[in-house]
Amino acid sequence: MKTPIRQFSMAILVAFISLNFETFAQVGVGIASPNANAMLDLTTTTKGFLPPRLSTVQKSALGAQLLLSPLPEDNGMLVFDNDLNEFYFWNGLIWVRLASGNYVDLTSNQMMIGGMKTFTNGVTVNGMLMPQGRLMLPMGEISYFNYTGFNVPITSTMTSPGALGTDNMVKINPTVTSFVNDGFGTGTNSRLTYTGATTRYFHIALSFSYQSVSGNDTFVFGVAKNGVVQNSSKMFITTGLQGNDQSTALHVLLSLALNDYIEFYVGNTEDADDVLMTSFNFVAIGM
């Protein structure tokens, strides 16, 4: 006959063995046979799952604590921000919002975003509000205006009217220019430099006014990329009488990578005659 003490000891042993078995087995709530590949299987057709719910301040405090005493197991921690009404997970450095609905992540460097995307409201890029329904990336703008003009010395004619490349063309570099910087580029020495990390196409738009110093010249205007005039940008203009103002515009599409720069150039196919620039506006907008 078993004594009460022995029976009690056996009960404790059985409970201990069962506890250790449960530790390494799957746990199911609402289901008798939980999924074999899941540590926790919650099954229901009438209720939901509620993760920890924190205010934005509480979430930030938790993030500070995770940075202070980080563990590899922290990555992937999930919380719900009650103030922002959004789910966030911890990536080891910051809280990252989980994508929801038609949300598209534009915070990372992405060469392409698949599918058709429609922006129904204004998009803010580097603090600048873009037009409704559009996403443009302005690189910068250089402008010059002076009624007396800025003389551009041309010391050699182009070798032929159809010559390729820079071919004796010179940079238009007024001594005084104004530059509008929006965060995607820098402007110095009449040069626009792209500072974005992603290679993209830019629409280069130029409008300018000038005078022929001698008259009856054929000037070639163009945009140079990294010091080389692009053939696709060249425009031939035959001038009339000396001192007559002429105005025109030039547009070109160029691919620019990080630290590529663009400049405004001019050449002469007739004679080594100078050109007098009275104004120009040089704009680059990425797409």
Side-chain angles (χ1 to χ4, degrees):
M1 178 177 179
K2 297 180 181 179
T3 64
I5 294 178
R6 186 177 181 184
Q7 289 177 340
F8 181 74
S9 299
M10 289 294 295
I12 292 178
L13 179 61
V14 172
F16 180 80
I17 294 173
S18 300
L19 178 62
N20 278 274
F21 178 79
E22 291 286 345
T23 301
F24 294 98
Q26 291 74 35
V27 177
V29 177
I31 184 170
S33 300
N35 189 299
N37 294 322
M39 287 297 297
L40 176 63
D41 186 350
L42 304 179
T43 302
T44 178
T45 58
T46 58
K47 301 184 184 298
F49 168 71
L50 285 176
R53 287 152 290 169
L54 288 71
S55 67
T56 301
V57 173
Q58 292 169 334
K59 184 186 71 186
S60 298
L62 176 57
Q65 179 60 38
L66 293 175
L67 287 175
L68 186 63
S69 303
L71 294 173
E73 297 81 6
D74 295 339
N75 293 6
M77 183 182 297
L78 181 70
V79 299
F80 183 81
D81 190 313
N82 277 328
D83 296 331
L84 300 177
N85 205 34
E86 292 279 354
F87 284 100
Y88 284 80
F89 74 91
W90 183 254
N91 71 353
L93 294 175
I94 60 172
W95 291 108
V96 180
R97 186 178 73 162
L98 289 180
S100 59
N102 294 323
Y103 171 73
V104 177
D105 178 18
L106 297 177
T107 60
S108 59
N109 181 11
Q110 300 181 50
M111 295 296 292
M112 180 179 295
I113 299 175
M116 183 66 180
K117 301 295 183 293
T118 301
F119 296 92
T120 57
N121 296 308
V123 179
T124 300
V125 180
N126 273 22
M128 177 179 290
L129 182 62
M130 302 295 117
Q132 180 175 340
R134 298 179 183 178
L135 179 61
M136 299 183 298
L137 302 175
M139 184 172 77
E141 174 185 6
I142 288 178
S143 60
Y144 168 79
F145 176 82
N146 192 323
Y147 183 75
T148 58
F150 173 80
N151 188 73
V152 181
I154 299 176
T155 58
S156 301
T157 60
M158 301 179 70
T159 55
S160 69
L164 302 179
T166 307
D167 188 38
N168 291 331
M169 296 177 69
V170 295
K171 178 182 173 181
I172 299 174
N173 185 23
T175 54
V176 179
T177 60
S178 63
F179 173 70
V180 179
N181 183 8
D182 54 27
F184 286 94
T186 59
T188 57
N189 194 28
S190 298
R191 171 186 296 178
L192 289 176
T193 303
Y194 177 50
T195 59
T198 302
T199 300
R200 64 179 69 253
Y201 280 98
F202 278 83
H203 174 204
I204 317 299
L206 272 158
S207 58
F208 51 96
S209 301
Y210 66 97
Q211 298 175 9
S212 171
V213 173
S214 300
N216 297 320
D217 286 302
T218 299
F219 292 108
V220 180
F221 294 92
V223 175
K225 172 183 174 181
N226 299 332
V228 179
V229 177
Q230 305 298 294
N231 297 317
S232 60
S233 72
K234 290 180 178 178
M235 175 183 288
F236 292 85
I237 304 178
T238 301
T239 63
L241 298 176
Q242 175 184 350
N244 283 1
D245 286 315
Q246 298 196 58
S247 300
T248 189
L250 184 158
H251 297 266
V252 63
L253 187 69
L254 293 178
S255 173
L256 300 179
L258 175 64
N259 294 326
D260 280 347
Y261 61 89
I262 54 176
E263 299 164 310
F264 190 22
Y265 271 62
V266 63
N268 194 327
T269 64
E270 300 288 338
D271 299 289
D273 293 334
D274 299 346
V275 62
L276 189 71
M277 301 298 302
T278 53
S279 70
F280 76 83
N281 183 259
F282 193 15
V283 181
I285 299 178
M287 294 174 285

